[in-house]
Amino acid sequence: MERRTLIKSLGGLLLMPSLAIGHTISAEKPVLRFAHLTDIHLKDEFDAPARFAKCLHKLQQTEPKLDFILNGGDVVFDMNKQNLNAISAQWKQYHNVLKAESSLPVHYCLGNHDIWWDENNKGQTVYGKQYALDQLGMPGLYYSFVKKGWKFILLDSVHLDLDGTWYIGKLGEQQIEWLENELRNTNPSVPVVVLSHIPILSSTVLIAADNASNGYQILGGDMHVDARRIVDIFCRYPNVKLSLSGHTHLRDKVVYNDVTYICNGAVSGAWWEGNRQQTAPGYGVIDLFADGTFEEKYVNY
């Protein structure tokens, strides 16, 4: 799928795969444990509903038990430019499987496949992001909440491209201002987890490149075009500890200025057709501790 706008420069940012996460194995009990699921792309093919149910069963067998799920978007297979009947069927299937197979609360951000950008239907009220917001019961396109001493900031990272026909990863001025206000008004002692669909910072965009024989091209639909600006904001607030994303269906960790950026693999793997390169279908499990540290692992189901 073409992602048209290129990121021209990252201003000298260093991407470095993590050899250590910057925290140690703790003997203390975590105050929170949650699962990060992303890129489910549920559809009625490839036995996807049954396989998603298997994923939900496995994560609910986690010990200690999970407190909730963070869903990183691309919930349904694809809303982009589909007809409303097909879209409604995908969402109905997702709700049916989730209701039948899981009792865990879920907090969502939107992915690019959750958005209905059909240029022929711009006048309809469901055009754009509203349909998915209603389906997921989200409080807004971006929002925050606090649980057991940790703050969670969920971002809207998918926006129309410059020509209005496709998408890029960015926040936009209004959301940038909101993000900075959220961090400014958060007690510095409260550690922060950030969730986006498109990675803010990731090395997976290099591994996913089709042809690097004459240098890499990082597309604006693969990683945030405003990455440097967001990273600068995070660096001003050292209580930002972890930034989670998906979108590339590949798994990596990048540590930059004491913030850990984790891009987790997809629940659907390669869109329900096996592994995406070396990353098997799976999800992340994250333990958060009272002292602001965390532990994480990737689970193949």
Side-chain angles (χ1 to χ4, degrees):
M1 187 176 288
E2 183 182 5
R3 292 163 184 162
R4 297 176 181 171
T5 303
L6 300 182
I7 296 177
K8 301 298 185 183
S9 171
L10 286 178
L13 287 178
L14 175 63
L15 292 175
M16 181 178 295
S18 170
L19 298 178
I21 300 301
H23 58 84
T24 57
I25 300 296
S26 173
E28 297 294 323
K29 183 179 178 181
V31 295
L32 275 174
R33 167 173 271 201
F34 67 91
H36 174 223
L37 275 64
T38 187
D39 297 272
I40 297 168
H41 290 284
L42 196 63
K43 62 187 300 185
D44 195 17
E45 293 183 53
F46 306 117
D47 204 26
R51 292 160 73 181
F52 179 42
K54 179 182 177 182
C55 171
L56 293 171
H57 296 164
K58 185 174 179 67
L59 67 86
Q60 289 176 103
Q61 294 167 2
T62 304
E63 292 293 344
K65 297 293 185 183
L66 296 168
D67 293 289
F68 58 91
I69 293 170
L70 280 189
N71 187 308
D74 281 3
V75 176
V76 294
F77 184 72
D78 189 17
M79 279 186 64
N80 299 163
K81 306 180 183 181
Q82 299 290 320
N83 67 65
L84 278 175
N85 288 335
I87 290 167
S88 297
Q90 291 180 46
W91 282 105
K92 182 178 180 180
Q93 186 171 66
Y94 172 75
H95 290 307
N96 287 343
V97 174
L98 189 68
K99 182 178 180 179
E101 308 297 345
S102 176
S103 60
L104 288 169
V106 187
H107 303 277
Y108 295 91
C109 71
L110 293 185
N112 53 292
H113 287 273
D114 303 322
I115 302 167
W116 195 46
W117 276 330
D118 189 334
E119 294 89 343
N120 297 321
N121 293 279
K122 289 185 177 180
Q124 297 201 36
T125 56
V126 294
Y127 175 78
K129 301 174 182 179
Q130 190 59 51
Y131 189 104
L133 285 178
D134 293 342
Q135 287 289 322
L136 298 172
M138 291 171 58
L141 290 171
Y142 44 91
Y143 59 100
S144 68
F145 62 89
V146 176
K147 284 186 182 291
K148 297 185 180 179
W150 280 76
K151 186 165 194 172
F152 296 81
I153 295 177
L154 288 76
L155 299 175
D156 174 25
S157 61
V158 184
H159 296 268
L160 279 173
D161 204 341
L162 298 176
D163 63 6
T165 61
W166 208 236
Y167 67 89
I168 55 175
K170 68 175 185 178
L171 298 184
E173 290 301 322
Q174 183 176 342
Q175 192 175 179
I176 283 279
E177 182 179 347
W178 175 86
L179 173 62
E180 188 133 35
N181 282 335
E182 279 289 306
L183 293 172
R184 185 184 302 115
N185 293 322
T186 299
N187 189 310
S189 66
V190 175
V192 174
V193 175
V194 176
L195 177 69
S196 65
H197 177 68
I198 296 176
I200 294 171
L201 200 59
S202 176
S203 63
T204 66
V205 295
L206 304 178
I207 302 302
D210 291 330
N211 186 351
S213 61
N214 193 32
Y216 291 97
Q217 289 186 332
I218 301 175
L219 299 174
D222 290 340
M223 194 172 80
H224 268 250
V225 298
D226 53 1
R228 182 170 182 175
R229 192 172 179 189
I230 298 171
V231 166
D232 287 345
I233 292 172
F234 289 172
C235 288
R236 293 198 292 274
Y237 298 94
N239 52 330
V240 178
K241 303 297 183 182
L242 176 62
S243 178
L244 296 169
S245 67
H247 185 57
T248 67
H249 295 221
L250 299 171
R251 153 91 171 164
D252 81 343
K253 302 176 199 173
V254 173
V255 179
Y256 185 76
N257 284 357
D258 297 324
V259 179
T260 301
Y261 299 82
I262 295 178
C263 182
N264 270 318
V267 171
S268 64
W271 299 270
W272 300 108
E273 296 189 78
N275 293 0
R276 163 74 160 145
Q277 295 183 30
Q278 294 83 27
T279 301
Y283 56 88
V285 173
I286 294 94
D287 288 322
L288 304 179
F289 296 87
D291 64 357
T293 60
F294 65 89
E295 296 169 10
E296 66 85 30
K297 61 181 178 181
Y298 186 66
V299 178
N300 306 130
Y301 66 88

